[in-house]
Amino acid sequence: MDTPDYRRSQILQLLKSSKQPISGKHLSDKFNVSRQIIVKDISILKSHNHTIHSTSRGYVIEYETQGKHFKRIIKCQHTQEQMEEELTIILDNGAMVDDVSIEHPLYGTIKKDLMIESHEDLHQFIQQMEKYQGKMLANLTDGLHLHTISAHTEKILDNAVRDLNEHHYIVKD
């Protein structure tokens, strides 16, 4: 019988050896435990100073190696109904959505890694939002939020920002 410590060490090894996010469902199936046990295991690993990040595609360790070389932080605002269009514009230009964050007046910065790199990733993210009746993090700030987007070139980022601006998603300071 495997102990929780052994399972956690195995989870850590899997995350370290994977170049892609690993879903909680995959881990729960692999170790024949509930999803809640995996969430607890990940929390315990984090408490031991392991840099595990939860993304829309699963868990990753040391995610800074992910994303693309050129990065830009953009300030956007829109409604829940416009979220998919905003993210699609970014992807259509060849950029990736690394994360979303808000500046909450009480809690400060709240940030969530997304790592949405393809239309398939976006489709899965939207499905999860619908399945769990999820709300945008930006709902806490009247739709105002930041995205880190990344791409292989600055020109791709310029084009994504231009198109987002044309659709009135970019907020000017």
Side-chain angles (χ1 to χ4, degrees), residues 3 12 15 33 51 57 71 77 104 112 134 140 145 172:
T3 67
L12 192 56
L15 291 173
V33 295
T51 55
R57 294 169 37 205
K71 295 188 182 289
Q77 189 168 24
H104 191 273
K112 176 67 178 135
L140 296 171
H145 59 285
K172 306 267 194 249

Side-chain angles (χ1 to χ4, degrees), residues 139-151:
N139 282 355
L140 296 171
T141 53
D142 293 326
L144 191 62
H145 59 285
L146 303 173
H147 281 299
T148 303
I149 61 174
S150 62

Side-chain angles (χ1 to χ4, degrees), residues 28-152:
S28 67
D29 290 347
K30 179 169 182 57
F31 295 104
N32 198 29
V33 295
S34 70
R35 178 75 176 88
Q36 290 83 357
I37 295 292
I38 296 299
V39 170
K40 182 179 176 184
D41 287 344
I42 295 295
S43 292
I44 290 169
L45 289 168
K46 285 180 178 182
S47 75
H48 290 109
N49 296 320
H50 295 288
T51 55
I52 300 170
H53 300 275
S54 175
T55 73
S56 62
R57 294 169 37 205
Y59 297 108
V60 294
I61 195 161
E62 298 178 11
Y63 88 105
E64 290 81 11
T65 60
Q66 292 195 1
K68 298 191 168 87
H69 181 70
F70 295 95
K71 295 188 182 289
R72 190 169 301 168
I73 296 175
I74 56 174
K75 187 176 187 180
C76 300
Q77 189 168 24
H78 58 75
T79 66
Q80 177 95 19
E81 294 74 28
Q82 295 170 309
M83 177 182 65
E84 185 172 4
E85 181 182 45
E86 174 216 28
L87 298 174
T88 298
I89 290 168
I90 295 167
L91 295 174
D92 283 351
N93 278 283
M96 176 176 176
V97 184
D98 294 16
D99 60 44
V100 62
S101 65
I102 62 167
E103 293 298 324
H104 191 273
L106 179 60
Y107 299 117
T109 301
I110 302 173
K111 183 177 179 180
K112 176 67 178 135
D113 297 321
L114 295 176
M115 305 310 277
I116 298 174
E117 187 172 14
S118 67
H119 290 284
E120 178 59 30
D121 293 342
L122 177 57
H123 178 72
Q124 289 175 3
F125 177 72
I126 297 298
Q127 278 187 322
Q128 292 296 307
M129 289 286 284
E130 290 170 356
K131 178 179 178 181
Y132 295 107
Q133 298 176 347
K135 302 290 183 208
M136 293 186 324
L137 187 58
N139 282 355
L140 296 171
T141 53
D142 293 326
L144 191 62
H145 59 285
L146 303 173
H147 281 299
T148 303
I149 61 174
S150 62
H152 293 299

